[in-house]
Amino acid sequence: MKSKITLPFMMMGILFTVFLVVSNLLETKVVQLGFVSATAGLMVFPISYIINDCIVEVWGYRKARLIIWVGFGVNFIVVGLTQLAILMPAAPYWEGEEAFDFIFGMTPRIVAGSLCAFLVGSFINAFVMSRMKVLSNGKYFSLRAIVSTLAGESADSLIFFPIAFWGIIAWDNLLTLIITQIVLKSLYEVLALPLTIVVVSRVKKLDGSDEYDREVSFNPFKIKDIS
């Protein structure tokens, strides 16, 4: 029996991918939030984890695995095309070359760190959310969303920042940056919980799906297993 891809699932997948790509583009700017410094990507990156939670809660780990790999592929394509654009010669009358290269000229370390951190963090988030749903028999969604996001965001930050900035930023500053990102992204999840709960409830009613991963392989590479 082939798995049915519904309109709500497709829309969630599109939003997941859009927020992921946008967050990576915004990572090039560092903003000041009161006494805390963070990347501008903080505005939207946690939304991808919230959508990840929604997908696992409604359609299960299999569908989340598919969307995670789609997001990875699209992000990889965007990074590749922006680097190709940088290598192309600029028109002699165009004065934005330096700014363009600064915004899109990510180093191989940042690209590698971003892609690896995304994969590991997203799969950990989906795994924790899936297992907790089965163990709690579908109860305590708020707790499951917070715990899974904390686990995923922690893995993401612990992988990305050392790969991208080891030897560039002092260790104490790097550790502070990692902790700050984990705390702020997790706080984002908590603040967005009321909206997340409403969205999940309505999507379940609209789609008629409420998947429990009682018999599923958590192998992240079984992409074709979506039914």
Side-chain angles (χ1 to χ4, degrees):
M1 180 179 178
K2 292 185 177 180
S3 177
K4 182 181 179 183
I5 302 298
T6 62
L7 179 60
F9 173 72
M10 185 176 68
M11 293 303 298
M12 281 287 189
I14 292 173
L15 289 174
F16 177 84
T17 304
V18 168
F19 282 118
L20 174 64
V21 172
V22 170
S23 68
N24 282 336
L25 295 178
L26 295 181
E27 286 294 304
T28 55
K29 180 172 182 177
V30 178
V31 298
Q32 192 70 28
L33 304 174
F35 60 90
V36 176
S37 296
T39 58
L42 181 66
M43 291 190 299
V44 294
F45 183 71
I47 298 177
S48 65
Y49 276 80
I50 293 173
I51 296 175
N52 192 337
D53 287 341
C54 293
I55 292 174
V56 176
E57 177 69 16
V58 179
W59 296 285
Y61 180 86
R62 292 184 179 94
K63 295 292 199 307
R65 175 171 51 205
L66 173 64
I67 292 301
I68 289 170
W69 280 112
V70 169
F72 175 85
V74 171
N75 196 38
F76 188 84
I77 291 172
V78 170
V79 169
L81 291 177
T82 54
Q83 301 314 297
L84 179 61
I86 289 173
L87 294 176
M88 296 173 68
Y93 55 83
W94 189 57
E95 299 179 355
E97 179 71 2
E98 184 177 347
F100 185 90
D101 290 353
F102 176 78
I103 296 298
F104 294 106
M106 295 182 290
T107 66
R109 286 179 61 178
I110 291 180
V111 172
S114 176
L115 294 177
C116 290
F118 161 71
L119 278 180
V120 175
S122 296
F123 276 116
I124 288 178
N125 181 81
F127 173 79
V128 172
M129 188 69 178
S130 174
R131 297 311 301 150
M132 288 187 69
K133 181 177 182 179
V134 173
L135 293 174
S136 65
N137 198 28
K139 300 178 180 179
Y140 316 117
F141 173 78
S142 297
L143 176 63
R144 292 187 281 114
I146 293 173
V147 173
S148 62
T149 296
L150 181 60
E153 296 284 12
S154 297
D156 184 283
S157 296
L158 287 170
I159 292 173
F160 173 72
F161 288 103
I163 292 178
F165 300 112
W166 185 272
I168 300 175
I169 299 178
W171 167 244
D172 55 340
N173 293 332
L174 187 60
L175 183 60
T176 299
L177 188 58
I178 291 172
I179 295 174
T180 299
Q181 291 283 320
I182 293 173
V183 171
L184 290 179
K185 289 175 180 177
S186 299
L187 181 60
Y188 196 127
E189 169 81 27
V190 174
L191 295 176
L193 261 177
L195 178 59
T196 305
I197 293 171
V198 171
V199 170
V200 168
S201 176
R202 291 186 178 180
V203 170
K204 281 183 177 181
K205 291 180 181 179
L206 178 64
D207 196 80
S209 180
D210 188 9
E211 187 70 24
Y212 284 78
D213 296 316
R214 293 193 171 92
E215 295 182 6
V216 61
S217 169
F218 290 99
N219 182 347
F221 300 103
K222 296 188 67 173
I223 307 174
K224 293 183 178 180
D225 180 19
I226 62 172
S227 59

